[in-house]
Amino acid sequence: MSIVLGFVALMAVIAFAWLSRQGLADKPWLETGAVTRIPSPGGRPTGRVGLGVFLAVVGGLFALAGSAVVMRMGYADWFALRMPGVVWLGTALLALASLCLQSALMAARRGDARASRAAFGAGALATLAFLAAQILAWLRLAETGQGLAANPGASFFFLISGLHGLHILGGLVALARVAGRLGHGAPPRRAVPGLELCAVYWHFLLLVWLAMLALLSGWASDVAALCRAILT
Amino acid sequence: MSSTSEDPDSGIPPAEVPDLPPPHAHGFWSRWVFSQDAKYIALQYSGTAIAIGLVALVLSWLIRMQLGFPGVFHFISAEAYYQFITMHGMIMVVYLLTAIFLGGFGNYLIPLMVGARDMVFPFVNMLSFWMYFAAVVVLAASFFAPGGPTGAGWTLYPPQAILSGTPGGTQWGIVLMLVSLILFIIGFTMGGLNYAVTVLQARTRGMTLMRMPLTIWGIFTATVMALLAFPALFVAAVMMLFDRLLGTSFFMPALVEMGEHLSYGGGSPIVFQHLFWFFGHPEVYIVALPAFGIVSDLIAVHARKNIFGYRMMVWAIVIIGALSFIVWAHHMYVSGMHPYFGFFFATTTLIIAVPTAIKVYNWVLTLHRGDIHLTLPMLFSLGFIVTFLNGGLTGLFLGNVVVDVPLSDTMFVVAHFHMVMGVAPIMVIYGAIYHWFPLITGRMLSHGMGLVHFWVTFIGAYAIFFPMHYVGLVGVPRRYPEIEAAFVPDSVATLNAFITVAALIVGAAQLLFLFNIAWSLRFGRRSGLNPWRAASLEWQTPDMPPRHGNWGEALPVVHRWAYDYSVPGAPRDYIAQDDPGPAAAWRHEP
């Protein structure tokens, strides 16, 4: 559970850093009228704050899944999964999608509608290709005797890649809404807030995927051993 | 200290959040069914939670009938008993208490108490309720599924939860329970995003965090905790569903059942326990913190006194929220752990008692020399303080490893958690309903019926759970439908019969409460505006009950905290939060 404890500690630091700027030492019983020193709410777009909170929830979810992997890795029957090559291709596609959405955002900020639409389309396609690659990886694993229930590593791979894929699918719904705002004739700056949120979400899911992959493929087994040692 | 101004409006910044009208309902369906108005959603949440809570109430009667008079009711088999305790526990903890505090009170009170027109994501908020409703339907469906609901105990510990020896283990019961939990968590996440972001983003001008009523502090902190804790239950539920349906072995070790080797192997039930309690312990505070906040406000209003130690109360809420994430393994002392591990968790558990005790002292000091009105909200608040104190003290026993080990899995534990997170928060829910019913309906609940309800519930709850501690101390284990053992004295059977009679009476008193609601909706005395003369913002709406958009033409501007009661020199014994007042005339001197 040390991964999730680390995650909660990070959240606590962020929360206390924010709270420390909110005048928690004030004496409201002595004060009437305006309080000018404390920033008013609403300084940041609501969508961005909402996404921040949601990413904390998603981060927690994968930190917990990662913690379960680390605990399970301590048992004698655990061995690292032999990843099919298509997993690496899929990872590259997700990185490409993340990059494309960032380019689309930057182009939209510049007001370059054409470049923004092209990068956006490439990002959406790369994301779909990533999902297809994940399904291929599942099939390849099943063919090579590493099916869902074959060994603990495979079970966790199916579980985590499935959960991750569902989050990507949810992101695609948001992406479809942004596509409407990037439609022909519309000024690209209208799509900037939505594109910004999508780009951040994609970067975050890429990071999550890289972390999970490092854990499941055995790259991070030393870190995992250290995590287990801390709590045992 | 913040700078203050003589001119009440000077320096209050313009609203950065544009004052956009919330989505309007255009007909029956969008007003009453798929409403995006947080007030309607709150009522939908509360109605559904109370409805499924009634099922839990009936189950508690059946549990007590079996324990009080074993062998008399032939339709209560051992399997049925396990199913009753499982469903009773899960419904009460998750589908009633969590849902009503956050989905019910959170939805109704957050926008009104922080001066917003509605939640920031109304459509997502609507979806949140319907996901919750689907979760309740799936849960209730398990009563009618082949094999009935799961009887795994509310903790759903594997491996027994998905084995044939447990009711619903290899049939539909456990599957429906897990699916229902997954739906609940998805729905809660949608709602929780709204509660947290509305507090962060949509507070009206002048409403700094340190001017928020403690109710909002409690609900806000509990929401943040729930957003971080519920994913643990989500992951555990998905993994167990995989084990049950797809043959994985996340939690399932190698097993022989009825002489036959099962296909499972290598999994760890302890991993489930870590995940479950990483959710399960914060869950206690997810229920308790809103109750702490609400009771603070009820006491201040009905004792006509500002809350004692507001800053400490806020800090205590935040500190309790943070600490509750590092105590989970005190539920696992008997699962086998390194002694230092147990020492660490016992220490953190006892440290949590410090901020909690501060809160209890502050409630008592608020009452001290207050102008106490023994209204129904005040009575229930007093009932809460006493009950929470009792439950908390037995928690100190159980937090210590050496005391916990012999008491583990006895009725002492059942008595403890029912006092601290069953009766105590329910006292607050009742107090809150009596308090805010006029805001919601424009009518008062019947005082006479309320008095009967309070005294029967309060005395009855003690008649049930006080003797249960003794039953546990002599060693009677929980989760046994019937026990005949040499170490169990005859007095236990007598006490069990007594407890059962008390439980039936207390249950009946809750039906009187429901009747009171129905009767008062039609015949209750009209409340008028602000019947309790409360200072917080929700009572300052132009209409009672508040209309769509809450605030009429313009959003309110907040000039003070929510606890200006009995201020010397003030024309009334309260000053509303949005009252600019003759500047500085009523201000306390430092």
Side-chain angles (χ1 to χ4, degrees):
Chain A
M1 296 295 277
S2 38
I3 289 184
V4 76
L5 278 182
F7 180 80
V8 168
L10 176 68
M11 291 297 109
V13 168
I14 293 171
F16 280 103
W18 176 75
L19 282 171
S20 68
R21 295 196 303 274
Q22 302 297 318
L24 282 202
D26 288 354
K27 298 175 178 171
W29 55 94
L30 299 178
E31 296 159 352
T32 53
V35 177
T36 51
R37 190 177 58 78
I38 299 164
S40 289
R44 289 187 181 147
T46 300
R48 208 187 294 173
V49 175
L51 180 68
V53 176
F54 182 62
L55 292 188
V57 178
V58 178
L61 180 78
F62 284 100
L64 283 154
S67 286
V69 174
V70 170
M71 282 190 275
R72 190 66 181 81
M73 282 168 99
Y75 289 75
D77 62 341
W78 176 276
F79 56 91
L81 199 61
R82 269 185 299 111
M83 292 289 173
V86 70
V87 170
W88 308 113
L89 176 68
T91 308
L93 283 167
L94 187 60
L96 179 68
S98 188
L99 212 64
C100 286
L101 288 181
Q102 185 64 32
S103 312
L105 170 66
M106 285 156 68
R109 278 188 183 141
R110 286 196 310 270
D112 185 346
R114 201 182 155 90
S116 184
R117 273 198 291 272
F120 181 87
L125 280 179
T127 306
L128 289 171
F130 165 74
L131 289 176
Q134 294 292 73
I135 294 170
L136 275 178
W138 289 356
L139 293 175
R140 193 60 52 84
L141 281 171
E143 282 165 12
T144 54
Q146 300 186 95
L148 179 61
N151 64 63
S155 300
F156 272 110
F157 180 84
F158 277 87
L159 172 79
I160 289 173
S161 58
L163 283 175
H164 183 264
L166 284 174
H167 281 85
I168 293 271
L169 274 177
L172 281 173
V173 175
L175 212 60
R177 283 179 60 114
V178 175
R181 282 180 226 155
L182 257 182
H184 286 286
R189 283 200 179 83
R190 242 189 69 201
V192 166
L195 264 177
E196 209 170 59
L197 301 183
C198 285
V200 170
Y201 188 65
W202 253 251
H203 302 335
F204 181 80
L205 285 183
L206 174 64
L207 279 179
V208 165
W209 178 243
L210 291 175
M212 293 293 118
L213 203 54
L215 209 54
L216 290 167
S217 63
W219 287 359
S221 51
D222 290 342
V223 178
L226 183 69
C227 288
R228 273 196 309 280
I230 291 170
L231 281 189
T232 49
Chain B
M1 196 175 114
S2 304
S3 56
T4 59
S5 166
E6 295 294 312
D7 173 9
D9 265 339
S10 79
I12 289 184
E16 280 85 352
V17 181
D19 183 15
L20 297 175
H24 291 290
H26 296 292
F28 173 82
W29 288 96
S30 56
R31 177 183 295 272
W32 295 105
V33 183
F34 300 110
S35 175
Q36 296 186 41
D37 186 326
K39 295 187 291 298
Y40 288 89
I41 295 172
L43 297 179
Q44 289 175 319
Y45 254 112
S46 304
T48 312
I50 290 172
I52 195 71
L54 281 174
V55 175
L57 174 72
V58 172
L59 291 173
S60 73
W61 278 341
L62 295 170
I63 294 165
R64 283 310 320 176
M65 281 156 62
Q66 170 62 22
L67 288 176
F69 307 101
V72 173
F73 302 99
H74 294 292
F75 65 95
I76 308 177
S77 61
E79 288 75 18
Y81 179 82
Y82 298 141
Q83 291 169 323
F84 296 163
I85 58 168
T86 304
M87 297 302 276
H88 169 78
M90 195 60 97
I91 289 172
M92 290 302 293
V93 172
V94 175
Y95 298 87
L96 173 66
L97 289 173
T98 309
I100 204 165
F101 271 123
L102 300 182
F105 291 112
N107 264 311
Y108 208 95
L109 294 176
I110 289 173
L112 282 165
M113 282 187 144
V114 303
R117 294 216 179 273
D118 207 312
M119 291 288 181
V120 287
F121 308 120
F123 180 75
V124 179
N125 204 24
M126 181 263 287
L127 283 184
S128 157
F129 167 71
W130 284 105
M131 289 299 280
Y132 166 65
F133 187 78
V136 169
V137 169
V138 171
L139 185 80
S142 69
F143 283 103
F144 308 99
T150 172
W154 89 276
T155 50
L156 306 179
Y157 276 3
Q160 54 89 21
I162 55 174
L163 294 178
S164 62
T166 300
T170 49
Q171 291 170 300
W172 282 97
I174 187 70
V175 174
L176 291 173
M177 170 64 83
L178 296 171
V179 169
S180 170
L181 285 173
I182 289 168
L183 290 173
F184 179 91
I185 295 164
I186 294 170
F188 169 74
T189 306
M190 293 171 168
L193 279 174
N194 262 297
Y195 318 147
V197 179
T198 301
V199 171
L200 293 175
Q201 289 289 102
R203 281 175 282 130
T204 192
R205 287 191 291 158
M207 180 64 87
T208 61
L209 285 194
M210 290 305 271
R211 283 180 174 173
M212 289 198 311
L214 288 165
T215 296
I216 299 302
W217 266 108
I219 293 174
F220 174 64
T221 312
T223 300
V224 172
M225 288 168 61
L227 285 171
L228 292 174
F230 268 115
L233 184 63
F234 183 89
V235 171
V238 172
M239 286 163 78
M240 194 190 275
L241 207 56
F242 270 47
D243 280 1
R244 166 67 182 80
L245 294 177
L246 302 173
T248 55
S249 297
F250 290 116
F251 304 133
M252 301 297 282
L255 286 161
V256 178
E257 189 180 44
M258 310 287 279
E260 192 182 325
H261 280 274
L262 300 183
S263 59
Y264 297 116
S268 166
I270 299 291
V271 174
F272 177 88
Q273 291 191 22
H274 277 295
L275 291 173
F276 183 86
W277 288 114
F278 187 81
F279 145 78
H281 197 81
E283 170 63 20
V284 175
Y285 293 98
I286 289 164
V287 170
L289 290 186
F292 290 171
I294 289 171
V295 90
S296 307
D297 285 355
L298 298 191
I299 287 173
V301 173
H302 295 272
R304 313 309 295 164
K305 201 172 156 202
N306 60 23
I307 191 80
F308 186 91
Y310 173 85
R311 264 194 316 183
M312 258 332 157
M313 296 295 251
V314 170
W315 294 352
I317 285 177
V318 174
I319 290 167
I320 290 170
L323 283 176
S324 70
F325 279 98
I326 49 170
V327 297
W328 81 89
H330 70 212
H331 296 272
M332 299 164 57
Y333 287 148
V334 293
S335 69
M337 62 172 72
H338 193 288
Y340 287 142
F341 213 49
F343 173 74
F344 171 79
F345 282 101
T347 309
T348 52
T349 302
L350 296 184
I351 289 174
I352 262 201
V354 176
T356 314
I358 287 173
K359 297 194 79 69
V360 175
Y361 294 137
N362 284 358
W363 291 322
V364 175
L365 288 168
T366 304
L367 291 167
H368 176 61
R369 300 185 68 181
D371 176 12
I372 297 174
H373 293 56
L374 286 178
T375 55
L376 291 165
M378 176 56 92
L379 286 175
F380 276 102
S381 300
L382 296 174
F384 161 79
I385 295 175
V386 180
T387 312
F388 183 75
L389 186 63
N390 274 312
L393 287 175
T394 52
L396 291 180
F397 289 69
L398 294 169
N400 281 292
V401 185
V402 285
V403 187
D404 178 76
V405 168
L407 287 175
S408 233
D409 273 329
T410 65
M411 293 303 275
F412 188 89
V413 178
V414 177
H416 156 70
F417 71 69
H418 274 90
M419 286 292 248
V420 82
M421 77 166 298
V423 179
I426 285 175
M427 288 273 173
V428 176
I429 289 173
Y430 284 136
I433 292 175
Y434 283 107
H435 181 76
W436 279 299
F437 190 80
L439 178 71
I440 298 165
T441 65
R443 290 180 186 272
M444 307 295 284
L445 280 163
S446 156
H447 187 72
M449 276 191 266
L451 280 178
V452 176
H453 175 223
F454 169 73
W455 285 110
V456 174
T457 304
F458 180 66
I459 296 172
Y462 275 77
I464 296 168
F465 294 111
F466 235 60
M468 201 180 282
H469 288 89
Y470 164 76
V471 175
L473 275 176
V474 298
V476 174
R478 66 194 282 206
R479 292 183 171 152
Y480 279 61
E482 195 173 349
I483 187 156
E484 284 177 29
F487 67 85
V488 180
D490 293 342
S491 56
V492 165
T494 317
L495 268 184
N496 265 334
F498 170 77
I499 292 171
T500 297
V501 173
L504 292 172
I505 295 170
V506 170
Q510 312 319 304
L511 302 182
L512 176 69
F513 168 70
L514 291 180
F515 174 76
N516 191 357
I517 286 187
W519 186 88
S520 300
L521 271 175
R522 193 168 169 80
F523 303 110
R525 180 165 57 83
R526 288 200 183 276
S527 63
L529 291 171
N530 200 357
W532 305 117
R533 295 172 293 128
S536 49
L537 214 51
E538 82 275 19
W539 294 101
Q540 319 308 329
T541 54
D543 307 289
M544 185 82 50
R547 293 192 180 175
H548 185 62
N550 296 343
W551 302 105
E553 291 284 305
L555 287 173
V557 176
V558 167
H559 297 276
R560 62 192 71 245
W561 71 336
Y563 301 99
D564 266 341
Y565 292 105
S566 308
V567 178
R572 291 178 300 188
D573 77 338
Y574 74 97
I575 310 171
Q577 272 195 288
D578 62 343
D579 187 341
W586 302 332
R587 187 175 312 156
H588 312 237
E589 290 308 318

